[in-house]
Amino acid sequence: VSHMDHIRRTQGIEHVALGTDWEGWVVFPRALDSADKLVALIEGLLRAGWRAEEIHAAYGENFLRVLGQVQAMAGQQA
């Protein structure tokens, strides 16, 4: 929560995204060692004052926006 909140405060919510690919991690964030615990992260973000729209952005909307931009750029270069 503190890491995501720092990015939100310093860079803006549009730069926060969360993935669930834990492969390759040596040390997992405390209490977040599998995707089934992402609900606890949502609860922590809410306690930190995040709005539902911000959580939706971090949990997928930002990724989809960037993916769409990349795909559009790739189509222009083809």
Side-chain angles (χ1 to χ4, degrees), residues 1-17 41 44-45 48-50 54 58:
V1 171
S2 62
H3 183 70
M4 291 174 70
D5 202 44
H6 173 76
I7 296 169
R8 179 185 71 147
R9 284 183 285 104
T10 60
Q11 304 302 312
I13 188 61
E14 65 275 5
H15 297 286
V16 181
L41 181 57
L45 293 170
W50 283 48
E54 294 174 314

Side-chain angles (χ1 to χ4, degrees), residues 9-56:
R9 284 183 285 104
T10 60
Q11 304 302 312
I13 188 61
E14 65 275 5
H15 297 286
V16 181
L18 183 67
T20 58
D21 54 340
W22 276 263
E23 185 161 326
W25 282 49
V26 176
V27 178
F28 296 95
R30 191 177 316 139
L32 192 60
D33 58 357
S34 68
D36 67 328
K37 296 182 180 173
L38 289 174
V39 172
L41 181 57
I42 292 172
E43 292 168 351
L45 293 170
L46 289 169
R47 281 193 302 274
W50 283 48
R51 298 184 327 270
E53 305 83 45
E54 294 174 314
I55 294 171
H56 285 281

